[in-house]
Amino acid sequence: MSNPIVEKPKLEPQARESRLWMPERVLFTPAALAEPWGQQILSRVQALNLPIEELPRNRLTGLRGSDERETYNNSKRTLAVVTTPPSAFKLSPIPPSADWQFHIAEGCPAHCQYCYLAGSLSGPPVIRVFANLPQILDNLTKYEQAGHRTTYEVSCYTDPLAIEHLTGSLEMCIRHFGTREKGYLRWVSKFDAVDKLLDLPHNSHTRCRMSVNAAPISGRFEGGTASVSARLQALRRLALPRSKGGGSYPVGLVIAPIMPIENWRSHYHRLFDQISEALDFECDLTFELISHRFTPGSKEVLQKWYPHTQLDMDEATRSIKRNKFGGTKYVYNADTMKQLRCFFESEIAKRFSIARVLYWT
Ligand code: SF4
């Protein structure tokens, strides 16, 4: 008798989250260890059996290698638990993403060859997490205006989901904003470990976004991240109603950095197919569209971090954009920008009629 064909039960995609990042060293400053939130992080990393070192002073040392590449490698394998400098309590605006930015960490364990942090954060790219989180959150309430919706972006200098298993800080932020009357949180990630966030009392005051890109860009330039399909499954779970096992969050997609690679229309068309499949139900969805750009400073840092990168950073093919402080950015020329923008806006309008495009840049 031939074997009957037994259909295997379909594994829900959520059962296959990507591997979590584990640092090779975890450094604590004395000030971080004096904070209750620092102690909470200590318990987490102890439970994971990670090698822990207590620094003698509140300064990070011992990360520099013999060259930039070695410094990069040492830093990207290190988690440093520190406290913020007093300047962190003065918030900066972050248009067009949100009213204000704040930071629960600086640095990211992934290896994106176009990384936005290059040139923004100085020094070795170690992953610093902040142990004085309750004070950071308390300070935010000063920026809320009565009767006025105020939004806060927490992912400008880190990927908060990439390190959440080590800190619990994103969960704490979501809980905090769930209690605010007019304060709203926004975060974005290229990781997918969202399980622990699904049941939190967010009160729809947190918008969870995933950053995605066309396959050739993501495959070539986004080392150490979860795959785009894993990110989309994570977003699906965050957006699904609670009755279906999801988190019932408002969600968003950040398509970035958009690049006019060869056959870009068909590659991005395929990305939209994947998004449509993952979000095949009605949900509160936004899009943010960001074309690739670089500055002289970010190019210099990225070329040291990724000396063999194939990322196009040829100034000769770009237009110059200056900001009000005299800074220079290299962006695509007006005609390319127009074609890209037109394509993205029309695909979104066709496929997601109730989604909002927050901005194109
Ligand atoms: Fe940089 Fe974001 Fe990539 Fe992390 S995920 S390396 S912050 S671009």
Side-chain angles (χ1 to χ4, degrees):
M1 198 176 94
S2 62
N3 284 337
I5 297 168
V6 180
E7 223 181 86
K8 283 192 187 155
K10 259 196 194 163
L11 260 189
E12 273 298 307
Q14 63 262 31
R16 299 191 302 264
E17 282 183 347
S18 309
R19 211 154 52 89
L20 297 170
W21 175 69
M22 294 296 166
E24 285 176 12
R25 294 170 79 196
V26 184
L27 313 178
F28 280 84
T29 62
L33 284 173
E35 294 287 338
W37 194 252
Q39 288 292 322
Q40 185 271 151
I41 296 175
L42 177 65
S43 305
R44 281 176 183 258
V45 294
Q46 278 172 335
L48 291 165
N49 280 325
L50 296 172
I52 296 166
E53 295 165 45
E54 185 178 343
L55 296 170
R57 284 181 296 279
N58 288 325
R59 276 191 59 223
L60 291 185
T61 48
L63 293 164
R64 295 236 174 244
S66 55
D67 57 21
E68 285 290 336
R69 190 64 206 166
E70 203 183 343
T71 302
Y72 175 91
N73 285 333
N74 293 344
S75 303
K76 284 272 186 176
R77 293 178 181 144
T78 305
L79 182 79
V81 188
V82 302
T83 49
T84 53
S87 58
F89 293 102
K90 187 172 177 335
L91 302 191
S92 304
I94 178 74
S97 170
D99 295 316
W100 303 105
Q101 54 178 301
F102 75 103
H103 310 290
I104 55 175
E106 286 180 3
C108 166
H111 305 273
C112 301
Q113 293 176 27
Y114 54 74
C115 181
Y116 309 105
L117 306 183
S120 312
L121 295 177
S122 55
V126 59
I127 296 94
R128 290 180 178 79
V129 302
F130 299 133
N132 52 334
L133 182 60
Q135 295 92 309
I136 293 171
L137 292 175
D138 267 1
N139 179 59
L140 303 182
T141 57
K142 291 189 209 147
Y143 288 79
E144 282 176 27
Q145 286 178 312
H148 220 74
R149 191 185 157 93
T150 309
T151 52
Y152 298 83
E153 173 67 65
V154 72
S155 348
C156 294
Y157 287 165
T158 190
D159 185 312
L161 191 58
I163 48 177
E164 177 62 6
H165 55 295
L166 304 166
T167 66
S169 298
L170 180 58
E171 171 178 341
M172 175 80 152
C173 293
I174 293 171
R175 288 181 182 278
H176 168 83
F177 280 94
T179 66
R180 303 308 304 164
E181 204 184 320
K182 289 286 183 186
Y184 291 81
L185 176 68
R186 296 160 58 68
W187 61 268
V188 61
S189 180
K190 290 193 184 83
F191 288 77
D192 66 334
V194 296
D195 263 8
K196 299 243 165 58
L197 306 180
L198 298 179
D199 294 330
L200 299 181
H202 57 76
N203 198 20
S204 298
H205 277 224
T206 292
R207 186 173 295 276
C208 312
R209 296 117 81 214
M210 285 290 157
S211 169
V212 293
N213 216 322
I217 297 170
S218 159
R220 194 173 309 153
F221 298 126
E222 296 180 346
T225 60
S227 67
V228 167
S229 59
R231 292 175 221 168
L232 289 172
Q233 286 307 321
L235 197 68
R236 172 184 174 86
R237 302 185 64 217
L238 289 162
L240 273 172
R242 288 250 155 100
S243 57
K244 300 219 163 119
S248 236
Y249 282 92
V251 294
L253 283 153
V254 178
I255 306 184
I258 293 169
M259 299 180 195
I261 51 171
E262 213 181 322
N263 296 327
W264 62 266
R265 280 188 182 78
S266 72
H267 290 300
Y268 281 110
H269 199 88
R270 237 169 279 148
L271 175 66
F272 277 115
D273 287 346
Q274 280 182 280
I275 298 172
S276 308
E277 275 166 35
L279 299 179
D280 59 350
F281 54 96
E282 215 167 273
C283 58
D284 178 350
L285 174 66
T286 58
F287 282 89
E288 293 155 78
L289 307 171
I290 305 172
S291 61
H292 180 248
R293 66 260 336 273
F294 60 92
T295 65
S298 68
K299 177 174 174 175
E300 194 189 331
V301 174
L302 288 171
Q303 284 185 329
K304 282 185 192 147
W305 287 353
Y306 309 106
H308 306 297
T309 187
Q310 290 174 16
L311 184 70
D312 166 34
M313 291 189 284
D314 180 5
E315 295 86 346
T317 62
R318 303 282 183 127
S319 295
I320 292 181
K321 198 172 167 185
R322 292 190 203 284
N323 68 22
K324 58 183 171 185
F325 308 109
T328 303
K329 269 182 200 164
Y330 292 98
V331 299
Y332 296 116
N333 65 42
D335 184 46
T336 307
M337 287 290 243
K338 199 169 154 200
Q339 288 183 42
L340 289 168
R341 182 175 187 167
C342 217
F343 170 84
F344 280 89
E345 290 183 346
S346 81
E347 281 292 312
I348 292 167
K350 246 189 311 194
R351 295 171 184 254
F352 308 97
S353 55
I354 55 170
R356 282 178 297 139
V357 176
L358 299 185
Y359 56 88
W360 160 272
T361 186

